[in-house]
Amino acid sequence: MIRYDFAGKVALVTGSSRGIGAGVLTAFAQAGATCVLHYWDDPDGANRTDADALAAKLRALPGSPAVHVFAADVRDGGQVEALMRQAKEACGGLDVLVNNAGVIRDRTLKKMTPDEWHAVLRTNLDGVFHCCKYGAEILRDGGRVVNVASVAGLVGFHGQANYAAAKAGVIGLTRVLGKELARRGITVNAVAPGVVQTPMLGEIKPEVMAEYLKQIPAGRLGTPDDIANAVLFLATEESAYITGQVLPVTGGWV
Ligand code: NAD
């Protein structure tokens, strides 16, 4: 049950057609926000289908929240600039920007190709830079930015050089932007999820997953709702004096 009230606020969540992003956007919709559902228009059209289905589900919630659906590849600054322009035209501006879009391409350094390195850096770090840069232009004063980092950016895990470097970069960016945007009353924080049940986990080997599960004191994997609860807290007006921080959401892990 979501207890926050975001009536009258506009929230954009990147990569919100599925996984954690869909969970976070759903929580904003349940709390009465106008929602900007952003998705990546992948070649087989799966994200578009997911985005349309989620938008229909959110519009059917009590209070019929407004949901705007826009595509952009976060690796491409021009597309992100266009996304923010569309959001501004549709909603007049943003109150909350959640940078959630991300990918994983795990390999040991020995096996990792330069393409795999760049693929993760371009989506997970350049993408957040693009969204912060162009998103800040349409965020209203007093707005909120929440970046979805990872505990992988705080603790290095085997086989994740690209992912850990990108997420550590997001944490550094969060700390700097917390200072740069403070004069506008905009806070910039990050959540650092542990292991969360989403389609991304399909890319992690079962034996690695079993090992993670043994180490989580809460005795279970996280859910998108667990992450949404932390994100919504950092997006409230009441969290105004918290900025440049990283909140681990891990069930006590690491
Ligand atoms: P997911 O694969 O279900 O979702 C990722 C989303 O990012 C998808 O909607 C995808 O379409 C989008 N995306 C990918 N490339 C994109 C691009 N170039 N442009 C725009 N959008 C793009 O995975 P998830 O688990 O929901 O991950 C969401 C975020 O949470 C990611 O940043 C991920 O690194 C982070 N995270 C996940 C976990 C976990 O255990 N699942 C743990 C820590 C952090």
Side-chain angles (χ1 to χ4, degrees):
M1 179 64 191
I2 298 292
R3 296 180 187 83
Y4 297 111
D5 181 5
F6 283 89
K9 305 280 188 188
V10 180
L12 186 161
V13 181
T14 67
S16 50
S17 55
R18 70 177 207 187
I20 291 173
V24 171
L25 196 73
T26 300
F28 276 114
Q30 288 169 333
T34 292
C35 293
V36 183
L37 194 171
H38 156 264
Y39 71 100
W40 173 52
D41 204 3
D42 58 324
D44 67 7
N47 292 338
R48 165 102 228 180
T49 304
D50 288 350
D52 288 343
L54 179 63
K57 195 175 121 195
L58 299 186
R59 288 178 187 128
L61 287 170
S64 313
V67 183
H68 304 274
V69 182
F70 300 124
D73 183 336
V74 297
R75 294 171 293 187
D76 181 331
Q79 290 193 30
V80 173
E81 196 175 8
L83 163 71
M84 297 304 171
R85 211 167 32 240
Q86 286 173 301
K88 169 120 178 148
E89 277 163 21
C91 310
L94 291 182
D95 299 290
V96 182
L97 168 63
V98 180
N99 292 310
N100 162 81
V103 295
I104 205 163
R105 299 277 184 280
D106 288 2
R107 294 271 186 281
T108 56
L109 187 68
K110 192 172 177 185
K111 293 184 187 156
M112 187 177 291
T113 65
D115 279 354
E116 286 165 340
W117 170 266
H118 289 299
V120 171
L121 268 290
R122 284 180 63 210
T123 305
N124 296 12
L125 184 55
D126 294 2
V128 178
F129 163 71
H130 294 144
C131 293
C132 286
K133 179 169 175 59
Y134 298 112
E137 292 176 5
I138 68 162
L139 265 173
R140 287 185 258 272
D141 289 359
R144 301 279 179 264
V145 179
V146 184
N147 294 323
V148 180
S150 168
V151 285
L154 297 166
V155 182
F157 297 118
H158 190 89
Q160 292 198 318
N162 49 5
Y163 189 73
K167 294 298 188 181
V170 168
I171 289 168
L173 183 63
T174 300
R175 295 207 162 109
V176 171
L177 297 187
K179 293 190 168 76
E180 290 188 7
L181 298 180
R183 73 188 62 178
R184 292 177 52 199
I186 295 173
T187 66
V188 185
N189 291 291
V191 292
V195 190
V196 185
Q197 194 72 62
T198 71
M200 188 178 267
L201 292 194
E203 298 183 35
I204 297 182
K205 290 183 190 151
E207 58 272 26
V208 175
M209 282 299 305
E211 204 44 51
Y212 284 158
L213 196 48
K214 270 195 257 169
Q215 296 172 28
I216 299 172
R220 64 170 178 87
L221 300 181
T223 65
D225 281 352
D226 291 321
I227 309 308
N229 286 325
V231 170
L232 264 70
F233 164 66
L234 291 170
T236 58
E237 287 179 14
E238 290 77 3
S239 69
Y241 206 55
I242 303 169
T243 196
Q245 303 303 309
V246 184
L247 177 61
V249 189
T250 64
W253 188 47
V254 295

